[in-house]
């Protein structure tokens, strides 16, 4: 399988889209990573990757519709990465409706971990390679505060504002809860 990439403009800056060629995926590409400018742990283009803008036509169409406020749920093929636990957490993220937020504790409960699992959930969310399309930006602190986001809290706030769900309290005061 060949790794392909494209850089797409967005209201958040240039997004790096990375995918794997896949006959069963829309446009022949399964999305492996979507990175924001300045993102902690972002993908970095490798020498053997091929730039193929046409491979991401459907991804770009859906991103454009999302940023225009016309799309509330992405319908894209993703590569199968992550541990079993991470995939459970990421599935819970994918179920968070547009315009709604959930706390780290609510996600922990949704994946069947006790409150002691909140930190593990936060770590799994932090390793989400598909920012924006797998909506980890919708997870906030139990007190309504914006908490960690690999793309930066400013980007998280912009996404929540776009979705009409920016909490009134926006500055972190303590670790995720």
């Amino acid at each position: 399988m060949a790794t392909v990439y494209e850089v797409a403009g967005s209201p958040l800056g240039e997004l790096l889209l990375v995918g794997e060629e896949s006959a069963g995926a829309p446009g022949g590409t399964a999305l492996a990573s979507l990175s924001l400018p300045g993102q902690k742990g972002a993908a970095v283009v490798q020498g053997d990757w091929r730039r193929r803008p046409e491979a991401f036509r459907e991804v770009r169409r859906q991103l454009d519709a999302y940023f225009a406020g016309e799309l509330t749920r992405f319908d894209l093929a993703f590569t199968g990465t992550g541990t079993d636990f991470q995939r459970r957490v990421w599935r819970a993220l994918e179920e968070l409706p547009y315009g709604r937020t959930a706390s780290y504790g609510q996600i922990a409960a949704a994946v069947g971990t006790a409150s002691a699992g909140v930190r593990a959930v936060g770590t799994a969310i932090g390793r989400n390679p598909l920012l924006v399309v797998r909506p980890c930006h919708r997870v906030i602190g139990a007190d309504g505060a914006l908490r960690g986001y690999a793309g930066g809290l400013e980007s998280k706030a912009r996404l929540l504002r776009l979705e009409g769900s920016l909490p009134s309290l926006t500055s972190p005061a303590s670790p995720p809860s």
Side-chain angles (χ1 to χ4, degrees):
M1 246 187 302
T3 301
V4 294
Y5 76 97
E6 172 58 343
V7 177
S10 82
L12 301 175
E14 290 192 336
L15 307 177
L16 175 61
L17 310 175
V18 180
E20 299 291 334
E21 292 180 335
S22 169
T29 304
L31 194 60
S33 175
L34 188 158
S35 301
L36 277 60
Q39 176 183 326
K40 175 175 50 171
V44 176
V45 176
Q46 303 297 306
D48 61 339
W49 293 4
R50 294 184 324 212
R51 189 166 193 169
R52 289 204 39 230
E54 70 280 1
F56 296 95
R57 190 170 291 123
E58 180 60 17
V59 175
R60 291 187 70 164
R61 185 192 70 74
Q62 290 189 37
L63 283 168
D64 289 345
Y66 169 79
F67 286 120
E70 300 164 357
L71 181 79
T72 60
R73 186 171 182 88
F74 290 93
D75 184 19
L76 300 167
F78 305 139
T79 59
T81 60
T83 66
D84 287 340
F85 180 72
Q86 287 170 337
R87 287 192 302 270
R88 282 186 13 234
V89 170
W90 297 343
R91 276 191 299 274
L93 295 177
E94 291 167 7
E95 296 303 315
L96 283 176
Y98 181 95
R100 301 281 306 274
T101 58
S103 70
Y104 290 88
Q106 289 170 315
I107 298 297
V111 299
T113 63
S115 60
V118 170
R119 288 198 186 278
V121 163
T123 299
I125 290 171
R127 293 202 174 124
N128 171 21
L130 298 166
L131 300 191
V132 182
V133 298
R134 184 181 287 142
C136 55
H137 59 274
R138 295 179 188 153
V139 182
I140 60 174
D143 61 358
L146 297 187
R147 304 264 183 234
Y149 184 62
L153 291 181
E154 182 180 324
S155 292
K156 183 173 190 160
R158 288 185 75 178
L159 293 167
L160 292 174
R161 199 172 300 114
L162 170 74
E163 297 182 5
S165 59
L166 184 65
S168 58
L169 179 60
T170 59
S171 60
S174 59
S177 52

